[in-house]
Structures are given as C-alpha cells and as structure tokens.
Amino acid sequence: VSTANYKAREYGIHSAMPITKAWELSEKAAEEGEPPVVFIGGSFHHYAEVSKKIFKIIAKFVPIFEQSSIDEGYLDLSFTGNYAEAKKVVKKIQKEIKIKEKLTCSIGIGPNKLIAKIASDFKKPDGLTVIRDEEVEAFLEPLPIRKIPGIGPKTETHFQKLGIQTVRDLK
C-alpha cells in the first residue's frame, strides 16, 4: 500500500502495509457491513506534477523552504516575525492549494522542524496546529513515543520493555 485515505485507515489499512493484508482488512470490514475499500493503481508521474505545482504555490508565499519528499516540506517562516503572521501566511497557502489543486494540506508551525513536523500530523486532513516556544514541553510530554520521527516499531518495543510509553517517560 503506497497510501491510504482516512476511511481506509479506520479499517487498519496504512501505507507500507502488504496489499494482501490490506485486502484482508477490507474483506473483514465488508463482512461487518462496512463499505468495501477501493484499490486503485497509482500514477507517480501525476503525483510528481501536482507536487511541483504545490511547491510553486508555496514559493509565492515563502522565500525559503525545503522539500523533504513528494508531499512534505519545511517552510522557513521566520521572515513573518511572529506566530500570528506565520499562521496568516500558511492559511493563504492552504486556501490556494485547495482552490487550484482541489487538495487539502495539513500544516504544523513550531519553533523548529521537529515540532512543526509532529504538529502537522495533529489536525488531518486540512489542519493547522501552532505550537509556540512556551508550549513545546506541554505539547510533547503526553504524546506516545512513536510520534517522534525515527522511533519505529522496534525502538518502540525496546522502550516499552523499559517502561517508556510517552515522551514524558522518555524525558
């Protein structure tokens, strides 16, 4: 599975899952009366074209950004001077992407890339989460350690054996 929408995720289907497992979960959901999952082929060429268009939109509003993957990037919003102005800029970006590409995007604003990345996952789809400097600790502490980029299933299992479940425990 290269990607899964939010409805498919409700069935337990997620990206990087073997397609046979996704099919099993889809069949199980259908047996329980849920709508079946629709499996479609992808078009990397099309995705790349749309990605270019989206990053052109971003470039209109933000002078410095780093594209980290086909559908993710880090925007340097320091030119805005404060979080309120940064929020105005990214709302304009979200609006233009929705109008021109008919897509939503979720954005996190924070004092650094790590916090912004974690914040971007909070209000999907089409969300905006702002974490100010003084809010970072309170934001991170209750989170499961898996929310930290780079902590995968094996590391999580290792930490769980040590009694570490949350960022607060890790701290």
Side-chain angles (χ1 to χ4, degrees):
V1 177
S2 61
T3 189
N5 67 15
Y6 296 99
K7 189 67 181 166
R9 290 178 192 178
E10 290 176 16
Y11 296 174
I13 298 170
H14 57 82
S15 60
M17 173 181 280
I19 198 74
T20 53
K21 179 67 176 169
W23 183 261
E24 289 172 13
L25 291 169
S26 173
E27 290 296 301
K28 181 180 177 213
E31 289 170 9
E32 295 171 358
E34 297 291 335
V37 174
V38 176
F39 293 88
I40 58 173
S43 172
F44 189 79
H45 175 75
H46 177 68
Y47 303 150
E49 288 300 313
V50 172
S51 177
K52 284 180 190 173
K53 291 177 184 177
I54 289 172
F55 279 97
K56 280 185 182 179
I57 291 169
I58 291 168
K60 286 174 39 180
F61 294 95
V62 180
I64 301 171
F65 64 89
E66 172 190 343
Q67 184 174 350
S68 56
S69 71
I70 196 166
D71 67 346
E72 280 191 21
Y74 296 97
L75 316 182
D76 181 347
L77 296 167
S78 60
F79 74 94
T80 63
N82 61 60
Y83 286 103
E85 291 302 313
K87 188 175 178 179
K88 288 178 187 176
V89 169
V90 299
K91 282 187 169 199
K92 289 177 186 176
I93 292 169
Q94 284 178 310
K95 182 178 180 181
E96 188 159 336
I97 290 171
K98 191 175 278 185
I99 290 168
K100 290 190 174 175
E101 297 305 319
K102 311 290 188 270
L103 292 170
T104 62
C105 68
S106 296
I107 298 175
I109 299 176
N112 60 49
K113 286 181 182 181
L114 176 67
I115 303 306
K117 165 70 176 146
I118 295 170
S120 72
D121 286 334
F122 258 67
K123 294 179 184 169
K124 288 189 174 219
D126 204 27
L128 172 57
T129 303
V130 179
I131 307 299
R132 292 169 176 73
D133 301 45
E134 64 275 8
E135 300 167 332
V136 169
E137 200 167 336
F139 169 69
L140 289 176
E141 282 189 344
L143 297 178
I145 57 172
R146 276 296 294 277
K147 293 290 184 182
I148 299 173
I151 295 184
K154 289 182 181 179
T155 305
E156 179 184 34
T157 299
H158 172 73
F159 279 131
Q160 287 175 339
K161 288 177 185 173
L162 299 171
I164 299 169
Q165 306 282 328
T166 66
V167 174
R168 179 181 294 111
D169 298 336
L170 187 60
K171 179 183 161 192

